[in-house]
Amino acid sequence: MFAALGWICTTASAYPDQIFKQFSYDETLEESKKKAKVYSCEGDYGPGMHCVDDVSLFDVKFVGILSYEDGKLKKVVLGKDEFDSSFAKVIPALSNTFQLISISSKNGDIDLISLRRESSDKNDYLSKVSSFERAAHVSGHIQYMFIEGSKDDVYRTKNATDAIVRLPASSRTVTVIFDDQEGVALSFEFPKRYIIEMNKLKSSDAEKF
C-alpha cells in the first residue's frame, strides 16, 4: 500500500512560484493562455475556473482545472472521471518531491506524523495504516495529503496540522482523492502563501474602520 511513502526522504522544489509544471502561482489568465490552450469551464466547475485538456503527469492524462481568484492563479487541480491500474504509479512518484502526512476517508482520518511517533516500530506503523486504507477503499473514498519538504523537516513537527502551520511559504501541498463516483483528483496548492494573503486582506479591511 501507499503508507510506506511516509518513510521516504524527499527534497523541496527549486521553483518557489511553480504551482504545477509551467503554471505559476499568482499568474494572470492571460499569462496562462500563453503557455497552454486554456479555455473557460465555469459551467462545469464554477466561477473563475478554466481548463486545459490532456495534461500529462507520470504518463497519465488529466483535465487540468485552473482556479483563479481576482484574476490570479491560486490552485491547479488535475481531474479524471475514472481510474485504472495506471494510477498505481502516481502516488509513489509523488514521493520524489512530497511527504505523505495524512489519509482520510468518509469515516475519519489518520495522522501519519503522530502515528509514526506513537507506533512501536515500522511494521506496527505500516500495519495500522494499511488497515485504515483497506477500510477507506471499501467505503469508496480515500484522500491522501502530501506536503513538500524533506523527511527530517516534516517529521520533526508534532502532527499533520502542525506541519501545515510550519510549512514554508515556498512549499506546496498535494491532495490526492480517489472516489468511486467522482473519479480521481490531484489538487496542487501553496496553502501558506494563501493564508498569508488572506491575513493581509483581513488586516487591511480592519484598518478601514
Side-chain angles (χ1 to χ4, degrees):
M1 304 295 279
F2 300 130
L5 296 181
W7 299 83
I8 299 175
C9 184
T10 63
T11 56
S13 171
Y15 305 96
D17 291 326
Q18 181 187 30
I19 191 166
F20 177 75
K21 291 195 172 182
Q22 72 267 43
F23 299 107
S24 298
Y25 187 84
D26 267 355
E27 71 180 26
T28 64
L29 176 58
E30 289 69 27
E31 289 172 326
S32 298
K33 287 183 175 180
K34 294 177 182 178
K35 301 174 179 179
K37 294 182 179 179
V38 179
Y39 61 91
S40 175
C41 53
E42 293 186 343
D44 293 322
Y45 300 109
M49 300 299 185
H50 287 71
C51 291
V52 182
D53 291 331
D54 297 325
V55 177
S56 180
L57 180 66
F58 311 128
D59 298 322
V60 179
K61 295 289 187 179
F62 298 89
V63 172
I65 305 164
L66 312 181
S67 178
Y68 297 84
E69 292 184 18
D70 297 324
K72 294 185 177 181
L73 183 63
K74 300 298 182 182
K75 178 168 65 174
V76 175
V77 178
L78 306 184
K80 195 173 180 68
D81 291 336
E82 56 186 27
F83 55 92
D84 52 37
S85 60
S86 64
F87 285 101
K89 71 177 99 172
V90 172
I91 289 185
L94 283 173
S95 68
N96 291 323
T97 311
F98 298 85
Q99 294 286 344
L100 180 61
I101 63 169
S102 68
I103 308 174
S104 304
S105 72
K106 293 179 179 179
N107 301 317
D109 58 69
I110 186 168
D111 185 323
L112 300 183
I113 296 177
S114 295
L115 182 63
R116 188 173 187 270
R117 185 176 294 109
E118 296 165 359
S119 298
S120 58
D121 55 32
K122 182 176 179 179
N123 289 334
D124 181 39
Y125 168 89
L126 294 176
S127 176
K128 291 175 180 175
V129 179
S130 295
S131 177
F132 182 91
E133 285 184 293
R134 284 193 296 270
H137 282 297
V138 170
S139 75
H141 178 93
I142 188 167
Q143 179 172 309
Y144 297 87
M145 169 66 80
F146 289 86
I147 191 171
E148 192 168 31
S150 71
K151 177 181 176 181
D152 289 342
D153 288 341
V154 172
Y155 284 97
R156 186 180 296 124
T157 59
K158 298 178 181 178
N159 49 47
T161 301
D162 188 43
I164 296 294
V165 170
R166 296 176 182 274
L167 186 70
S170 60
S171 293
R172 298 168 291 173
T173 59
V174 180
T175 304
V176 183
I177 301 172
F178 294 92
D179 189 280
D180 287 350
Q181 302 298 319
E182 302 295 331
V184 183
L186 291 83
S187 179
F188 292 80
E189 302 178 64
F190 277 114
K192 193 63 171 286
R193 293 180 67 166
Y194 188 76
I195 291 171
I196 291 172
E197 290 171 3
M198 292 301 100
N199 287 339
K200 287 182 178 179
L201 183 60
K202 290 179 181 179
S203 176
S204 176
D205 289 341
E207 290 173 0
K208 292 178 182 179
F209 293 95

